[in-house]
Amino acid sequence: MNGLKWLNKHLEEAILVFLLATISCVMMAQIIARTFFNSMTWPEEFSRYCYIWTVFLSLGYTIKKGNMLKVGIVMDLLPQKLRKRIEIIVNVIMLVLFVILLRYSIIYTGKVKSSGQFSPAMHLPMWIMYMSTIIGFALAALRMVQEIISNIRNFNKKAETTLEATIKEAKQEVQATGIAVNDNDGLMGGED
Amino acid sequence: MALWIFVVFLSALVFAVPIAVSMVIGAMTPLFLGGTGSSIQQLIANSFSGSDTTPILAVPLFILGGVLMAEGGISRRLFNFFAYFVGNLTGGLPCAVILTCLFYGAISGSGPATTAAVGSMTIPFLVDMGYDKTWSAGMVATAGGLGVIIPPSIPFVLYSLATGVSTGALFLGGVLPGILIGLCMMVYAVIYCKRKGENKERINAKMTELRSKGFLSLLKESFWALLSPVIVLGGIYSGIVTPTEAACISVFYSLFVSMVIYKSFTVKEIIPFLGNAVKTYAPLCFVLAFAIAFGRVLALAKAPILIENFILNNFSTSITALTGIVVVFLLLGMVMDTGPAIVILSPILLPAVQALGVDPVHFGVIMVCCLSIGLATPPFGLDLFVAGTLSSLPPMKVAMKAMPFIIAFGIALFIITYIPWFSLVFL
């Protein structure tokens, strides 16, 4: 159960962190290899595919974290109840959209599989890369369902305005440096 | 058809539908209306192939490099270095803060992060030296936005991805405009200090303390941080590395400096930084992917041509057209994030302004400058809120004192817009 809870909280994040670390290391290895030995073709392709997985997995991640980029200024002006209702409708539309995209990504990936395409450098079957669209949209739909449930449950709680979200973001930004700040108390003093 | 796509897209935005999803809905409009457009399968294929390029990798890598470097506690080192030169002059310390923002932004590439890191250290310090707290906060909030103009800069990478203009050329184009904006702000800071007077006694005491450390020891402390943009830019212009590879090198350079030289964190602590970087770029990832797919649908609907005709019919010269566009960008920057605004608008507008004889690099610089002011303007300028949080002041009070700095920024912006020389001199 705890494992499931952890997955619910961190699944996409953990994969995204892993992919970022992999991209950095593989690209660096490629630069070193190119400078001192022979240029390799696979690292670039491999990094690109890692990034494509990042793109589609980031959907579920940002829904979960609630930090999708949007323009909230008009909605902030509406009364609470109306705003909440619109929010739920928008979320349901998004859910439908992700399900549609999921359906078509399954069809498209099937097509790629039957066409027998291979990647140019690593000779991996291309359908493995297109699996990212299926898994990405499936996770996005799942996260959307979770979001809608929490929307309905918290219907009577006050919705977060863009202003409040900005304040929260600012606080996080300050906290991110907070640790470093305490180390640097002696402003002009510095370490000797 | 193009009009319908825009109407659907904009109404989705108004209802606070996430920008990326609004683009998908907009891209599907022709299908609903039975017109010619991409099928949903093409849409998926386009967002896939749009992400399948090497230059796009520069975005996560530059962001990670910035996050890692910012942990090295370099804002204080940079500030001490600049204060050594200008601290004794009238308005010298505020100028040193602006210079620190300029350089720090070059390293971190994020406005709010620059405001937080530089402000957390310099606002209390300036207050201690007798400067007005709200004024100091307003200054850091505005100067924090400079970071996205001085290269390496994420918005330039995004503009390059959306339009195909060379990243290296854009980086070069941003250097002088960034410095010009910094200069305009410094001029205002000096005038302000001349008028209000400064607590010279305290400042001189601090400066003597700082000078006693000696130039060499200050240079030694800040050297590694100052070197970072040099390595990245030098690598790109000498042709040794591509911008993507330079971004990757900046990641490992930052790791090296922070862990080996400044010893600000250990291997075990890396994962939270990776998490931080992911949090910053994840919202951009699929905005980018879908923007490419959306752009192709718009191109099919001949939207760029329609916009081009509209601009050519209504504005006869590049100067009037650019003025109009600048005003729109400034307003847009107030409510929308820089990244999505760039990737959506630049491919649509570039053909039109090019037809009027505007250089693509010059246009990129204008766009990034305009949108970066949005970080310091109400109602949602994140930099204002960061500075407000740091100084425990209401953000709108900070905004009032930031106004003259924003005006200085604006003056520089108009010079940059009307005199292409600033953006193109190094090309």
Side-chain angles (χ1 to χ4, degrees):
Chain A
M1 199 50 214
N2 269 333
L4 256 181
K5 257 189 191 158
W6 188 88
L7 274 184
N8 178 33
K9 237 184 151 173
H10 298 294
L11 173 65
E12 291 96 337
E13 191 177 12
I15 302 174
L16 292 180
V17 164
F18 174 75
L19 287 172
L20 178 59
T22 312
I23 293 173
S24 313
C25 293
V26 169
M27 284 294 289
M28 196 62 211
Q30 140 85 355
I31 298 169
I32 293 169
R34 203 197 58 195
T35 317
F36 299 105
F37 313 100
N38 287 321
S39 179
M40 304 177 284
T41 49
W42 69 266
E44 205 176 297
E45 188 182 278
F46 181 78
S47 309
R48 282 205 316 262
Y49 291 151
C50 285
Y51 178 75
I52 288 174
W53 276 89
T54 304
V55 168
F56 290 98
L57 290 173
S58 69
L59 267 171
Y61 171 81
T62 44
I63 297 170
K64 166 88 191 154
K65 287 263 172 185
N67 64 354
M68 283 187 133
L69 300 173
K70 53 185 160 197
V71 184
I73 185 162
V74 182
M75 292 288 282
D76 288 346
L77 304 172
L78 300 179
Q80 277 294 318
K81 278 261 164 73
L82 181 64
R83 225 192 110 183
K84 280 274 189 180
R85 287 203 182 102
I86 295 178
E87 222 175 276
I88 292 173
I89 295 169
V90 163
N91 283 344
V92 171
I93 294 174
M94 279 168 66
L95 174 61
V96 172
L97 200 70
F98 288 137
V99 172
I100 295 174
L101 287 169
L102 172 61
R103 180 170 163 256
Y104 280 95
S105 59
I106 293 171
I107 297 174
Y108 194 73
T109 307
K111 271 191 189 166
V112 173
K113 192 175 177 184
S114 57
S115 75
Q117 273 184 52
F118 286 91
S119 75
M122 295 185 293
H123 304 290
L124 286 171
M126 275 312 278
W127 65 267
I128 295 181
M129 276 22 115
Y130 277 92
M131 281 297 287
S132 63
T133 58
I134 299 181
I135 293 175
F137 290 127
L139 277 171
L142 186 73
R143 294 299 192 190
M144 216 62 241
V145 172
Q146 290 179 329
E147 182 72 20
I148 293 169
I149 293 172
S150 103
N151 268 338
I152 294 171
R153 272 200 192 146
N154 299 323
F155 189 78
N156 288 320
K157 275 192 199 151
K158 207 178 157 294
E160 192 181 49
T161 60
T162 313
L163 203 66
E164 285 159 356
T166 314
I167 293 170
K168 208 166 94 189
E169 210 182 329
K171 285 216 172 101
Q172 283 170 357
E173 199 71 59
V174 173
Q175 273 161 7
T177 54
I179 312 143
V181 177
N182 293 336
D183 296 338
N184 300 336
D185 279 337
L187 183 63
M188 288 287 216
E191 61 260 80
D192 299 306
Chain B
M1 186 54 68
L3 192 68
W4 279 112
I5 298 175
F6 276 118
V7 169
V8 171
F9 172 64
L10 290 178
S11 12
L13 283 186
V14 165
F15 285 107
V17 177
I19 297 168
V21 180
S22 305
M23 288 191 285
V24 177
I25 297 174
M28 285 182 176
T29 314
L31 296 177
F32 297 138
L33 296 173
T36 48
S38 317
S39 69
I40 297 177
Q41 287 186 46
Q42 272 170 321
L43 201 68
I44 293 168
N46 279 342
S47 52
F48 184 96
S49 66
S51 309
D52 189 11
T53 64
T54 310
I56 219 169
L57 292 170
V59 177
L61 291 174
F62 269 133
I63 289 177
L64 176 60
V67 168
L68 291 171
M69 197 61 169
E71 293 301 325
I74 52 164
S75 56
R76 176 179 52 81
R77 295 181 171 89
L78 284 175
F79 178 74
N80 284 351
F81 180 75
F82 292 122
Y84 181 89
F85 291 105
V86 293
N88 271 349
L89 310 171
T90 305
L93 288 176
C95 287
V97 172
I98 295 173
L99 283 169
T100 308
C101 283
L102 224 84
F103 253 84
Y104 191 89
I107 296 158
S108 101
S110 146
T114 305
T115 311
V118 178
S120 64
M121 175 207 83
T122 56
I123 296 174
F125 175 72
L126 287 178
V127 172
D128 195 39
M129 292 293 108
Y131 294 95
D132 180 56
K133 191 178 178 185
T134 327
W135 184 79
S136 310
M139 175 174 71
V140 176
T142 322
L146 285 174
V148 298
I149 300 162
I150 301 271
S153 122
I154 304 289
F156 280 139
V157 176
L158 296 177
Y159 180 84
S160 158
L161 286 168
T163 60
V165 178
S166 136
T167 315
L170 287 163
F171 280 1
L172 272 184
V175 175
L176 214 51
I179 294 172
L180 179 71
I181 297 170
L183 273 178
C184 282
M185 289 174 62
M186 282 189 250
V187 168
Y188 166 69
V190 171
I191 294 173
Y192 174 91
C193 291
K194 273 226 166 97
R195 271 206 185 154
K196 298 260 166 177
E198 288 173 303
N199 193 334
K200 274 289 171 200
E201 227 168 275
R202 258 195 242 176
I203 295 172
N204 285 338
K206 266 286 171 198
M207 282 310 295
T208 322
E209 190 188 320
L210 180 68
R211 293 240 162 155
S212 69
K213 294 184 78 177
F215 173 70
L216 274 180
S217 100
L218 285 175
L219 180 67
K220 214 179 84 195
E221 269 194 13
S222 54
F223 176 73
W224 298 97
L226 289 167
L227 197 62
S228 169
V230 177
I231 289 180
V232 170
L233 297 179
I236 296 175
Y237 301 125
S238 59
I240 300 173
V241 290
T242 63
T244 308
E245 289 170 340
C248 186
I249 289 172
S250 86
V251 169
F252 284 88
Y253 178 77
S254 307
L255 269 181
F256 171 74
V257 172
S258 303
M259 285 168 58
V260 179
I261 296 178
Y262 295 152
K263 296 196 174 60
S264 44
F265 58 85
T266 60
V267 182
K268 278 184 199 160
E269 292 163 292
I270 290 180
I271 289 188
F273 295 133
L274 289 169
N276 244 343
V278 165
K279 205 183 97 199
T280 311
Y281 74 74
L284 267 178
C285 278
F286 54 82
V287 168
L288 259 179
F290 290 148
I292 292 158
F294 185 52
R296 288 188 189 159
V297 173
L298 282 177
L300 270 180
K302 302 198 170 56
I305 299 173
L306 290 174
I307 301 261
E308 188 178 330
N309 287 338
F310 174 80
I311 291 179
L312 290 181
N313 287 337
N314 290 288
F315 301 98
S316 48
T317 64
S318 63
I319 289 187
T320 48
L322 282 179
T323 311
I325 290 173
V326 163
V327 172
V328 172
F329 282 167
L330 287 176
L331 294 174
L332 202 68
M334 289 182 183
V335 292
M336 197 170 174
D337 289 281
T338 319
I342 290 176
V343 291
I344 296 168
L345 289 175
S346 59
I348 306 175
L349 290 172
L350 186 60
V353 293
Q354 266 187 303
L356 286 167
V358 178
D359 188 276
V361 173
H362 181 209
F363 187 62
V365 172
I366 295 172
M367 192 164 192
V368 172
C369 290
C370 286
L371 293 168
S372 68
I373 298 188
L375 281 169
T377 50
F380 305 125
L382 188 52
D383 285 358
L384 285 178
F385 287 81
V386 172
T389 312
L390 283 173
S391 51
S392 0
L393 291 164
M396 289 314 128
K397 262 193 152 172
V398 178
M400 292 297 291
K401 292 276 181 175
M403 261 339 270
F405 284 108
I406 294 171
I407 292 169
F409 199 128
I411 292 171
L413 173 63
F414 279 94
I415 298 175
I416 293 161
T417 307
Y418 297 133
I419 309 175
W421 180 84
F422 284 99
S423 315
L424 304 175
V425 60
F426 292 130
L427 299 182

